[in-house]
Amino acid sequence: MNRTVRIAAALALAAAAGIFLWNTMCAGAAQNVRIIKHDEQKAAPVSPDNFTGAAASRGFFPAKEIGVSTGEVTFPAGARTAWHTHPRGQMLIITSGRGLVRQWGEAPVEMNEGDAVWIPANVKHWHGAAPDSSMSHIAMAPLDEEGRSSTWMEKTSGADYPGK
Ligand code: MN
């Protein structure tokens, strides 16, 4: 090999090595699709400070990892959250039963299986089961810059909840 051919071969080899290294680095940085099978998801009681009644929450992915607080919350009849707000809003999808959502200053609104509900940022509200029916919903609330998805306030009382 003459000198020009040797230099060309060295450059080609360096380029190939560079491409290989780049691809390896990109593959290492790639995010993988994740799945948590239904029977691997754990339900846990919710904080009694923020709920009335024995609701339980089945978490999906850690909120700090995906930037969104997610979970399916199951409320026995009569159970509901305390008043609260979400800094980036919240979507609810009713997965079973019949429930209620109430915005501060407004009447309660019924929610049924399959319904989707959007609660805008910083709107004070509560949600939960109807007095005579259990209810489950999937809840999704994006985290703010401080990693918070909810600001909890006083529990419902008196005329806040129908029939109580
Ligand atoms: Mn909420």
Side-chain angles (χ1 to χ4, degrees):
M1 277 194 284
N2 65 29
R3 183 178 146 76
T4 307
V5 171
R6 281 203 308 273
I7 290 171
L11 285 172
L13 190 64
I19 290 166
F20 174 79
L21 281 173
W22 177 255
N23 286 344
T24 304
M25 284 162 54
C26 288
Q31 298 288 310
N32 292 321
V33 170
R34 294 166 63 189
I35 181 166
I36 305 174
K37 302 299 285 183
H38 194 186
D39 60 5
E40 295 167 0
Q41 297 162 12
K42 304 267 190 296
V46 297
S47 168
D49 294 343
N50 303 329
F51 287 76
T52 298
S57 179
R58 182 164 57 85
F60 300 132
F61 298 97
K64 295 243 159 68
E65 288 181 24
I66 65 170
V68 185
S69 171
T70 60
E72 184 177 44
V73 187
T74 296
F75 301 80
R80 67 274 189 182
T81 70
W83 290 101
H84 63 286
T85 60
H86 303 286
R88 295 281 183 274
Q90 181 183 47
M91 185 164 72
L92 306 176
I93 299 170
I94 313 309
T95 50
S96 71
R98 182 163 42 85
L100 297 166
V101 57
R102 185 171 202 173
Q103 180 172 342
W104 183 259
E106 305 286 339
V109 177
E110 191 173 288
M111 315 181 286
N112 291 284
E113 182 176 329
D115 291 352
V117 179
W118 174 248
I119 295 143
N122 302 313
V123 167
K124 184 174 176 179
H125 68 288
W126 59 258
H127 34 103
D132 58 347
S133 172
S134 62
M135 184 275 289
S136 295
H137 66 45
I138 290 175
M140 290 168 278
L143 305 188
D144 68 8
E145 297 86 350
E146 282 84 45
R148 293 173 308 196
S149 63
S150 302
T151 301
W152 291 100
M153 301 167 182
E154 72 275 18
K155 286 192 177 183
T156 57
S157 63
D160 290 343
Y161 188 80
K164 303 279 167 166

